[in-house]
Amino acid sequence: MTDRDDDASAAMAGLAPPLTRRRFLRSACAAVGMTSLAHTVFDLRRIAAAATTAGDSTLADYRAQSEYRALVCLFLYGGNDGNNMVVPRGPEYAGYAAARGELALPQSLLLSLPGTTTDGRQWGLHPAMPQLHALYGQGKAAVVANVGPLVAPLTRAQYDAGSAAVPPQLFSHSDQTLHWQTSLPDQPARSGWGGRVADLLHGANGNAQLSMSMSLSGNNTFQVGSAVTQYQVSPDGSVGLGWYYDGNEWNDPPSTAIRRLMSQSYGNLFTQGYRDVFARALDQDRLLAAALQATAPLTTAFPDSYLGRQLQMIARLIAARGPLALSRQVFFCAADGYDTHGEQVGAQAAVGTHADLLGELDAALAAFYRATVELGVAGSVTTFTASDFGRTYASNGDGSDHGWGNHHLVVGGGVSGGRIYGDMPVLQVDGPDDVGDGRWIPTIAVDEYAATLARWFGVATSDLPLVLPNLGRFRRNDLGFLA
């Protein structure tokens, strides 16, 4: 049987096809995209060499992995203002207050972030985030500084001279979201880096009947893969296909008709294929609903916010990992509203739209961590934030505009927390790290951030180029924020 035959059979069953070296090479090469012939040949050779080094024994090792691990991507759509999430507390505060104007947070309200930094500067967390501040103090949360999409390491002089490539459409929401979620800003990408991680590691889940990639916030590029398809779950559970198969006084005639249609044989291959895919969708919906119903209710209280409900459902899905036969899972959830061009702060700087957003994030993420403790998997679940971009250091008068590099949070029992990782920018408009109005050139590439997470999740160092084809352009594949 060929890979194509395997693909067809698996698709009809609603399953990921078996992982082979040829299949994974094909997936990884698709991720590289179509650029110039020379560039493409170079990347294909690099990926082939990495796969040859890994060999079939490595793929077999991936199939044999049994320790549970989960990655949770929490995307903050719109571009979180990291300049007001992590704020200088030392001598730089005066410059911060001058540059940010009415956006500046009162120095006395900042939550101190002790711990090692690369330059000894003092920092504080937004006052709306007391629970995450407590987790930071307990070593269960870390800040990763000035992360963003890069084609290669870049200096201000190179940017000004136009002598080095930069991600296209730098300050565009859709483009920078795509670059964040694919880690391929210089190439047309057909998959996300989370999807490529799942492609490589889905064999660890054996004969699981549901996808290891689950989204609580609709379709996303991050989870797009070749072998693994993202599975949509609502914050309330399965998407509710029971209408088609659970007869009752309201829907018995249509559900009976559906069941009859499902039992028929069809001569047309397309019709039969559609019938099989639909039948599998019904079976998977029932499987998920049954697995969730069989798990004990969580005692951890979650906030009644959209993000809180998403993270609560992720916790329930983790609790159901046994019945679902999943030892590796990749989740995606999201929050909107971070495009704070106006009304970013209220009459008092520590309140307003951004404070409300960060307060929601604080409450939901802290509750989720407590739920992983309750489930006994805190050390096996890592949540990380991502966002379109940062925002300008300079105020626009009522808010901040689209930026570039941004600060992010990583939370979990496996996090080496209580410190800031990476290099904070020089907080100076028109300074050495600024390309205009305080848009910071990232000092950590998305590739380096993603590689650290992928290694913890179980991707072998030799296979990182299959997940992150541009990683070799940067100097680090592990930033150290995960044990």
Side-chain angles (χ1 to χ4, degrees):
M1 182 176 285
T2 66
D3 279 351
R4 184 172 296 176
D5 295 329
D6 286 341
D7 283 349
S9 300
M12 295 303 179
L15 303 174
L19 184 63
T20 64
R21 181 189 293 180
R22 176 171 57 181
R23 180 183 314 285
F24 197 79
L25 278 171
R26 188 174 66 206
S27 171
C29 292
V32 171
M34 299 300 292
T35 56
S36 68
L37 180 60
H39 191 174
T40 302
V41 169
F42 169 77
D43 278 333
L44 293 179
R45 287 174 178 168
R46 181 173 56 172
I47 291 172
T52 301
T53 300
D56 288 333
S57 61
T58 299
L59 298 182
D61 291 341
Y62 285 142
R63 295 188 189 101
Q65 292 187 58
S66 58
E67 180 189 3
Y68 181 75
R69 291 271 166 110
L71 276 178
V72 182
C73 176
L74 199 173
F75 207 92
L76 308 177
Y77 280 114
N80 178 40
D81 187 354
N83 289 314
N84 259 22
M85 186 176 76
V86 181
V87 179
R89 291 192 306 112
E92 284 183 300
Y93 180 83
Y96 157 85
R100 301 236 84 189
E102 70 286 344
L103 301 183
L105 302 174
Q107 189 174 18
S108 61
L109 298 182
L110 299 176
L111 305 175
S112 173
L113 291 176
T116 305
T117 57
T118 56
D119 54 14
R121 290 187 282 173
Q122 300 175 41
W123 302 92
L125 195 64
H126 194 290
M129 309 178 79
Q131 297 183 76
L132 288 174
H133 178 254
L135 288 176
Y136 181 96
Q138 296 164 21
K140 306 304 180 185
V143 173
V144 186
N146 200 19
V147 187
L150 286 169
V151 175
L154 184 72
T155 65
R156 165 76 186 271
Q158 290 173 319
Y159 180 90
D160 289 343
S163 59
V166 298
Q169 304 298 323
L170 262 182
F171 311 121
S172 154
H173 286 293
S174 58
D175 292 278
Q176 297 314 302
T177 296
L178 183 69
H179 299 334
W180 249 103
Q181 296 188 15
T182 66
S183 78
L184 292 169
D186 61 336
Q187 304 169 37
R190 302 177 186 177
S191 62
W193 68 263
R196 297 193 293 274
V197 167
D199 282 349
L200 185 58
L201 289 176
H202 80 266
N205 288 317
N207 296 317
Q209 300 299 300
L210 281 179
S211 173
M212 68 183 284
S213 292
M214 295 187 178
S215 173
L216 278 292
S217 187
N219 290 322
N220 61 84
T221 304
F222 169 72
Q223 290 179 313
V224 172
S226 177
V228 178
T229 302
Q230 58 185 274
Y231 187 85
Q232 307 294 320
V233 182
S234 83
D236 298 317
S238 66
V239 295
L241 296 177
W243 187 88
Y244 290 103
Y245 55 76
D246 292 331
N248 57 49
E249 61 177 320
W250 300 107
N251 65 17
D252 187 60
S255 64
T256 299
I258 290 293
R259 288 195 295 273
R260 288 175 177 171
L261 288 171
M262 294 295 100
S263 67
Q264 299 296 316
S265 296
Y266 299 93
N268 183 284
L269 289 177
F270 178 82
T271 305
Q272 184 167 322
Y274 180 85
R275 185 276 314 269
D276 291 345
V277 169
F278 190 71
R280 289 298 178 188
L282 295 180
D283 290 342
Q284 290 177 348
D285 187 72
R286 278 183 285 202
L287 174 65
L288 176 60
L292 289 172
Q293 187 174 10
T295 59
L298 291 167
T299 61
T300 300
F302 278 80
D304 187 22
S305 63
Y306 182 58
L307 180 59
R309 292 192 295 274
Q310 290 178 71
L311 286 168
Q312 183 176 37
M313 180 50 60
I314 291 176
R316 292 185 61 196
L317 290 165
I318 291 172
R321 66 193 182 282
L324 295 175
L326 290 167
S327 62
R328 286 290 189 281
Q329 289 182 280
V330 179
F331 294 102
F332 182 88
C333 60
D336 294 313
Y338 283 84
D339 192 21
T340 51
H341 289 283
E343 300 182 354
Q344 183 167 326
V345 299
Q348 297 176 327
V351 299
T353 300
H354 193 233
D356 291 343
L357 291 166
L358 293 183
E360 177 191 48
L361 175 66
D362 180 74
L365 195 45
F368 180 68
Y369 175 76
R370 291 193 297 271
T372 64
V373 173
E374 177 185 343
L375 294 170
V377 294
S380 301
V381 180
T382 296
T383 306
F384 62 96
T385 64
S387 193
D388 319 16
F389 33 58
R391 306 193 74 80
T392 55
Y393 193 50
S395 169
N396 65 16
D398 195 29
S400 52
D401 297 324
H402 299 177
W404 192 355
N406 203 0
H407 313 317
H408 288 282
L409 299 169
V410 186
V411 180
V415 175
S416 297
R419 60 170 289 186
I420 297 173
Y421 289 84
D423 300 318
M424 283 288 189
V426 175
L427 299 182
Q428 177 185 339
V429 174
D430 202 31
D433 296 318
D434 177 28
V435 297
D437 289 331
R439 296 179 170 94
W440 313 129
I441 299 172
T443 45
I444 291 177
V446 170
D447 309 69
E448 297 170 290
Y449 187 57
T452 307
L453 294 158
R455 280 168 57 99
W456 173 86
F457 194 61
V459 175
T461 301
S462 57
D463 286 347
L464 287 173
L466 299 172
V467 174
L468 302 157
N470 291 347
L471 182 61
R473 302 172 186 174
F474 304 96
R475 61 188 178 93
R476 297 164 294 196
N477 61 22
D478 191 340
L479 299 171
F481 57 77
L482 284 163

